[in-house]
């Protein structure tokens, strides 16, 4: 049995066409079922639904053989025990710094003031500001980063941006782009050795599907 870990929502939705190209069809709709293990048309392939941030953990410890996860999540988790063979070019976005409209970010950075930065992406933010030589106090949040500058919790946030509509709706502006993000296929290395043939079949099919798109 091959187990693929996916998170509900955009990653699941954008993975479906790749699975289809690999001849794999998921038999349940995750938005309609309460099941956490979904069968596919391939008797030896199943999908487990886990929280996006838990995908690398499932694959690392062998709870899943393969998984699909955003580069953001992967960087925060660390690469331990994970083989990363493919950039799937799905769920694309970027990690950016944003501040309240009217906040003079350039001046704050220039003056060397300690910046208070709220984020879920502590590792990415720490490395980014360290490389710039900007002193920051990082405040770890688990959601709704956009609220932090609006309530005075922080001067800036580091968050994912895709269309920019969420920032705009909350009177925030993107002031720096840290990195581009897409989702990656991650593979448990032991599983790749033990189940070499069926694993290669899926990885190669994904790879071919990417080539055609
Ligand atoms: O939602 P949950 O807390 O369960 O987990 P999650 O937020 O980690 O999962 P999910 O499914 O929301 O995101 C999974 C992955 O999708 C992320 O790790 C990214 O790699 C990728 N991705 C791509 C995005 C976006 N685009 C995105 N726009 N993840 C989140 N967003 C959010 C962003 O955080 C912000 O709140 O959408 C909002 C901004 O969107 P725009 O279009 O208004 O700019
Ligand atoms: Mg989310």
């Amino acid at each position: 049995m091959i187990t693929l870990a996916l998170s509900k929502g955009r990653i699941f939705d954008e993975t479906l066409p790749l699975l289809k190209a690999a001849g794999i069809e998921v038999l349940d709709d995750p938005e309609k079922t309460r099941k956490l293990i979904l069968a596919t048309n391939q008797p030896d392939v199943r999908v487990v639904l886990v929280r996006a941030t838990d995908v690398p953990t499932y694959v690392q410890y062998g709870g899943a053989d393969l998984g699909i996860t955003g580069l953001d999540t992967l960087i925060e988790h660390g690469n331990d025990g994970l083989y990363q063979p493919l950039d799937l070019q799905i769920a694309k976005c970027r990690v950016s710094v944003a501040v309240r409209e009217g906040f003079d970010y350039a001046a704050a950075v220039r003056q060397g003031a300690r910046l208070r930065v709220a984020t879920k992406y502590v590792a990415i933010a720490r490395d980014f500001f360290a490389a710039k030589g900007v002193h920051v106090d990082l405040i770890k949040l688990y959601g709704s980063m956009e609220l932090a500058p609006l309530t005075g919790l922080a001067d800036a946030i580091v968050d994912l941006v895709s269309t920019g509509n969420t920032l705009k709706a909350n009177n925030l502006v993107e002031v720096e782009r840290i990195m581009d993000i897409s989702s990656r296929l991650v593979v448990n290395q032991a599983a790749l050795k033990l189940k070499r043939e069926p694993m290669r079949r899926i990885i190669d099919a994904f790879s071919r599907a990417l080539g055609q798109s």
Side-chain angles (χ1 to χ4, degrees), residues 152-206:
L153 179 67
D155 304 310
I157 58 172
V158 167
D159 194 7
L160 302 177
V161 181
S162 135
T163 60
N165 290 338
T166 305
L167 292 180
K168 205 172 295 166
N170 290 291
N171 299 310
L172 299 172
V173 286
E174 189 176 1
V175 286
E176 289 207 78
R177 189 176 178 130
I178 300 180
M179 66 174 74
D180 289 326
I181 297 292
S182 56
S183 284
R184 310 302 164 105
L185 181 67
V186 289
V187 176
N188 178 281
Q189 282 166 337
L192 188 57
K193 289 200 191 101
L194 291 169
K195 309 177 188 176
R196 184 148 196 102
E197 198 277 323
M199 295 278 284
R200 281 266 49 120
R201 196 161 31 87
I202 294 176
I203 297 167
D204 291 347
F206 277 176

Side-chain angles (χ1 to χ4, degrees), residues 123-156:
I124 293 173
R126 191 195 301 112
D127 289 354
F128 175 72
F129 287 109
K132 276 175 72 83
V134 174
H135 293 289
V136 291
D137 290 320
L138 292 175
I139 301 169
K140 167 88 183 182
L141 289 179
Y142 293 87
S144 300
M145 263 83 73
E146 295 88 358
L147 257 182
L150 305 177
T151 54
L153 179 67
D155 304 310

Side-chain angles (χ1 to χ4, degrees), residues 29-192:
D29 179 347
E31 302 303 334
K32 292 191 183 133
T33 178
R34 286 170 176 264
K35 285 188 208 166
L36 297 173
I37 300 182
L38 308 182
T40 74
N41 64 336
Q42 309 283 317
D44 64 335
V45 180
R46 63 179 185 175
V47 168
V48 291
L49 296 176
V50 304
R51 190 77 188 255
T53 42
D54 290 336
V55 168
T57 307
Y58 268 82
V59 176
Q60 178 182 358
Y61 293 105
D65 302 305
L66 310 140
I68 296 176
T69 182
L71 179 61
D72 48 318
T73 305
L74 201 52
I75 292 174
E76 292 298 320
H77 174 85
N79 248 328
D80 257 26
L82 296 175
Y83 166 55
Q84 190 194 309
L86 289 177
D87 178 351
L88 298 175
Q89 298 285 338
I90 59 170
K92 286 188 181 180
C93 57
R94 56 193 184 270
V95 184
S96 291
V97 182
V99 299
R100 217 179 52 233
E101 225 169 52
F103 178 83
D104 196 342
Y105 175 74
V109 166
R110 211 180 320 113
Q111 287 155 10
R114 262 192 114 76
L115 211 60
R116 296 221 298 177
V117 178
T119 188
K120 179 174 160 185
Y121 303 101
V122 173
I124 293 173
R126 191 195 301 112
D127 289 354
F128 175 72
F129 287 109
K132 276 175 72 83
V134 174
H135 293 289
V136 291
D137 290 320
L138 292 175
I139 301 169
K140 167 88 183 182
L141 289 179
Y142 293 87
S144 300
M145 263 83 73
E146 295 88 358
L147 257 182
L150 305 177
T151 54
L153 179 67
D155 304 310
I157 58 172
V158 167
D159 194 7
L160 302 177
V161 181
S162 135
T163 60
N165 290 338
T166 305
L167 292 180
K168 205 172 295 166
N170 290 291
N171 299 310
L172 299 172
V173 286
E174 189 176 1
V175 286
E176 289 207 78
R177 189 176 178 130
I178 300 180
M179 66 174 74
D180 289 326
I181 297 292
S182 56
S183 284
R184 310 302 164 105
L185 181 67
V186 289
V187 176
N188 178 281
Q189 282 166 337
L192 188 57

